Structure formats: structure tokens, C-alpha cells
Amino acid sequence: AGAGAITHHHNFTWMVEHDLEAGDEVFVDYGPGWFQERGFADTSTPKKWDVDFLRQHGYCLDNVVPGASLLEGAGRGAFASRDIHAGTIIAPVPVIALSKGSLETMKERTDGTVVKSEQLLKNYCYGHPDSDLLLYPYSHGINLVNHHSTKSNVKLRWWNDSSPYFNRTLLELQQSSRLMFELVATNPIKKGDEIYMDYGDEWDNAWQNHMESWRPDPNNFHVSAETMNNNDDFHVLRTENEQQLQPYPQDVFTSCYYRYSDNNLLKPNQKRSMVVWKPTNGMISLRNLRPCRIIQRDPMTNFTSSNNQVSSHIYTVIVMNRPGLKESERIPKGHVHVVSHVPRNAIVFSEKVYTSDQHLPDAFRKEIGLGDLFPSQWKNLRN
């Protein structure tokens, strides 16, 4: 019944490109045209903050670490990285204002009927049943705090400077605001304890109703890439020829960790190239994951992968592009790029767009309740 209710994406990691000093502001490149598209001049310059000021007025971001939740079926959870006293601010919780309508989608069932659905993002937003407004939190680790009505050890409270925005319209909040909560410990929390928050009675009731009414669709059977990646039955991968007789589920495909820029030695008008896979630093990272087709499997002995699984094979693959790659990582159009000696731990199953269980038409969707914290001015759906 919980299929599609949580995201399976995690551990996306930011890498520092050059040395930073204490007080340096952190920037990331959003891509060309980001400022111009929003009517701003591209004049942003790095700012250095006084370290003493940050110590006095800043928030600590490393009180929370991710891990496998202790709750069955909850996926990932947030855990205390140190002992935390009751009343301590565990983390800042800045939020982005969204409308519920912006998360609505239309999905077609296998019988051809069309049903209204909602994006998974709603499950990670705060809100109220009497309002069209949703608040999406984007601070470190906050989205991993799971629900527990009896073991909750944290609560939200408004940041003092948020109150001037309570009288703004929903449209104004979506355009510009400085809304933020603070996540506060309500009880002493020991290092390693999981952090829980009470999502509210509305959420609890919605989940119980979903559990009682949900029935699987026999015509919409889905095998997730995560399940296949953790199943020993799929440790030895099939080549393209073998998949003609024994295909993998239609919702998945194979992807390889590979950095094309490490091997970009193409000659002019070259239509085909072949290189050997190299385990360079940082290779096994999501930024280097791209579709690949397995064309050959060869036996290998005395090889242990990075996750300590003994592998009996290496693979030859055709590597392809994916959306979002930098120009230096894109294989020229029409070129066939073959990579040999790819170890098993560098190949994973990925899900085709819009086929993961989060896109199931009847997946659970409910915002996290704010209760009395939600300003009455924003309750635009009351009768």
C-alpha cells in the first residue's frame, strides 16, 4: 500500500570545485540564462561572511545525518549526529510556497480511463486542508524526518522574521518570500536516535484510510530498479542478444557509471571508438550515470567489486547520452562509443521516465499537517 509514497532517490552529493575558506558563501551554477530569464542582471559575486557573526546568528546544518529508517516501509530516515538537548534548534527549515494545483497531473490507466493524480512532492510539503498553499522544505535532512505520533521528539516553529509574510496572498508568497521554520527538539535526543515528527491527525487518518482501501492493480505490475539492483538473481547481466529471449521488465534499462571526458580522444569524422573502463576518482557518482547497452559478457576471476561482491564477469557496453550532460560529456551524434572491461558494480538498473512506483495512479498523497501553526489568513478553501 505504501508503493510510490516515498522517493528512492538519495545521496545526491555536492562536490567542492576549489578550496573554500571559513565564511565563504557557497554558489552553484544553475546554467546559462538563469538570471536573464528571471529579469535579473548576472552580477552575483561571492560574499564572505564574518565567522563570528555566523557563529552567533547562523544555524548548524550537521545535527542530522541520513540512514535507513527504523520504521518498516519508511525508507530513509533522519538521525541525530550528536546528543541534542530539549529546546535545541536542530536545523533551519526554509520553505518554498507552492499551490496544490501545481502538483496535479492526469494519468491514463491500463484500461484507457484517465484519472487525476498528484506528484510525489506533495508528501514532503507542509500544508493545511483548508488552504491551497503548500510549503516545500529544502534544508539539509529535513525531508527525511519521518512521522510518529507517539515517539515524536521534534516540532516546527516559525522563524521570527516570517510573520510579516502571513498577510501576503498566495501569489505573492509564490513570487517572493522569506518564510522559514525552525526544527526544535522537544525531548533530549541521543546520538544515533532517529528523529520523528508528528504529522498530525489529518495525515494519520489519510494514511489509515489509504491502507484499508488500497488494492493493487493486477494489470499494472511494476518491478522497481531498486528491487532488481538488490536482487542476487540479477547479478549476472544479460547481453542484448540474451534479452531478446529473456527480456528485462519493460520499465527498466541498464545504466553505467562512465565519464566520457576521460576518454575523449576522437579523431575528425570518426564513427566508432572503443576504450577500456578506468576506475578514476569519483567515478561511481550519479553525475556519471548514463544509459548503456550490454553487448558482451566475459568471464573474470579473482575480482572483487568496491561493495565487496565477488564478480565473475566484466562487460562490454555501448555508452549513450542522457539529458542534462555537460557538452564535454556528450558523445557526438551518430558516434558509437564502446567501453570494455566494465565491472559489475559500475552497472545498475534504472527506471524509464514516468514508470517508477511513484507514478502509480493510486499512490498515497498527503501533505504534512501544520495544525495551529498555519496562519488563518492563508485558509482560502474554507466554506
Side-chain angles (χ1 to χ4, degrees), residues 167-239:
N167 290 317
R168 296 199 177 184
T169 66
L170 304 191
L171 180 60
E172 289 172 335
L173 291 172
Q174 291 169 16
Q175 292 174 339
S176 176
S177 69
R178 295 179 60 196
L179 292 171
M180 191 173 83
F181 293 99
E182 294 170 332
L183 188 70
V184 181
T186 56
N187 303 311
I189 304 174
K190 293 291 186 182
K191 179 180 179 180
D193 285 354
E194 184 162 6
I195 297 172
Y196 299 118
M197 185 170 71
D198 187 351
Y199 289 4
D201 292 341
E202 289 274 351
W203 190 96
D204 242 342
N205 293 335
W207 175 249
Q208 292 302 321
N209 290 336
H210 176 78
M211 292 283 288
E212 293 171 4
S213 62
W214 186 84
R215 297 291 182 273
D217 183 352
N219 299 316
N220 195 13
F221 182 72
H222 172 74
V223 178
S224 72
E226 183 183 39
T227 298
M228 295 179 67
N229 286 327
N230 293 316
N231 191 328
D232 289 340
D233 292 341
F234 297 104
H235 185 63
V236 177
L237 298 171
R238 304 166 196 159
T239 65

Side-chain angles (χ1 to χ4, degrees), residues 5 17 23 36 48 58 73 77 130 133 149 164 178 191 203 228 239 265 274 299 304 335 340 346 348 370 377:
E17 293 185 337
Q36 291 82 350
K48 194 176 187 71
D130 292 337
L133 177 69
S149 58
R178 295 179 60 196
K191 179 180 179 180
W203 190 96
M228 295 179 67
T239 65
L265 301 174
M274 186 169 183
T304 302
H335 182 86
S340 66
V348 298
L370 285 178
Q377 301 94 310

Side-chain angles (χ1 to χ4, degrees), residues 103-372:
L103 302 185
E104 292 180 353
T105 60
M106 304 301 291
K107 295 182 181 179
E108 185 176 358
R109 293 180 180 270
T110 54
D111 61 3
T113 59
V114 177
V115 295
K116 182 186 291 187
S117 185
E118 294 174 296
Q119 296 181 41
L120 175 61
L121 186 67
K122 184 174 183 179
N123 288 4
Y124 296 90
C125 291
Y126 307 132
H128 194 280
D130 292 337
S131 177
D132 186 49
L133 177 69
L134 293 174
L135 300 171
Y136 174 71
Y138 56 95
S139 184
H140 167 71
I142 296 302
N143 302 106
L144 299 176
V145 177
N146 287 312
H147 166 70
H148 206 299
S149 58
T150 60
K151 293 184 179 180
S152 62
N153 47 20
V154 298
K155 67 176 183 180
L156 292 170
R157 73 182 183 197
W158 282 108
W159 175 50
N160 288 336
D161 290 355
S162 292
S163 56
Y165 294 90
F166 292 172
N167 290 317
R168 296 199 177 184
T169 66
L170 304 191
L171 180 60
E172 289 172 335
L173 291 172
Q174 291 169 16
Q175 292 174 339
S176 176
S177 69
R178 295 179 60 196
L179 292 171
M180 191 173 83
F181 293 99
E182 294 170 332
L183 188 70
V184 181
T186 56
N187 303 311
I189 304 174
K190 293 291 186 182
K191 179 180 179 180
D193 285 354
E194 184 162 6
I195 297 172
Y196 299 118
M197 185 170 71
D198 187 351
Y199 289 4
D201 292 341
E202 289 274 351
W203 190 96
D204 242 342
N205 293 335
W207 175 249
Q208 292 302 321
N209 290 336
H210 176 78
M211 292 283 288
E212 293 171 4
S213 62
W214 186 84
R215 297 291 182 273
D217 183 352
N219 299 316
N220 195 13
F221 182 72
H222 172 74
V223 178
S224 72
E226 183 183 39
T227 298
M228 295 179 67
N229 286 327
N230 293 316
N231 191 328
D232 289 340
D233 292 341
F234 297 104
H235 185 63
V236 177
L237 298 171
R238 304 166 196 159
T239 65
E240 281 193 323
N241 287 338
E242 291 170 337
Q243 291 178 49
Q244 296 297 319
L245 297 175
Q246 193 177 6
Y248 288 128
Q250 62 179 1
D251 293 345
V252 302
F253 61 94
T254 48
S255 295
C256 296
Y257 291 104
Y258 178 70
R259 202 155 38 208
Y260 175 67
S261 58
D262 290 346
N263 302 283
N264 186 5
L265 301 174
L266 297 184
K267 298 177 181 179
N269 301 318
Q270 187 176 354
K271 295 298 183 183
R272 187 181 179 91
S273 59
M274 186 169 183
V275 299
V276 176
W277 190 92
K278 299 176 182 178
T280 54
N281 185 41
M283 176 67 78
I284 308 299
S285 171
L286 279 177
R287 68 180 65 192
N288 299 321
L289 192 62
R290 53 202 300 161
C292 64
R293 293 157 39 203
I294 301 172
I295 58 176
Q296 185 173 319
R297 182 182 63 246
D298 295 298
M300 186 176 186
T301 58
N302 300 323
F303 177 81
T304 302
S305 65
S306 61
N307 58 3
N308 295 322
Q309 286 184 314
V310 177
S311 177
S312 57
H313 299 89
I314 55 174
Y315 299 86
T316 300
V317 305
I318 296 176
V319 175
M320 297 171 287
N321 294 324
R322 62 164 173 80
L325 287 173
K326 294 181 179 179
E327 191 61 32
S328 61
E329 292 295 336
R330 297 193 65 80
I331 300 168
K333 186 177 181 180
H335 182 86
V336 178
H337 191 61
V338 181
V339 183
S340 66
H341 294 77
V342 182
R344 176 62 182 87
N345 70 304
I347 306 175
V348 298
F349 291 101
S350 300
E351 289 171 339
K352 295 180 181 178
V353 178
Y354 301 121
T355 63
S356 68
D357 58 10
Q358 74 180 56
H359 298 284
L360 293 172
D362 299 320
F364 176 74
R365 295 290 181 265
K366 181 64 178 176
E367 72 275 8
I368 298 169
L370 285 178
D372 294 337

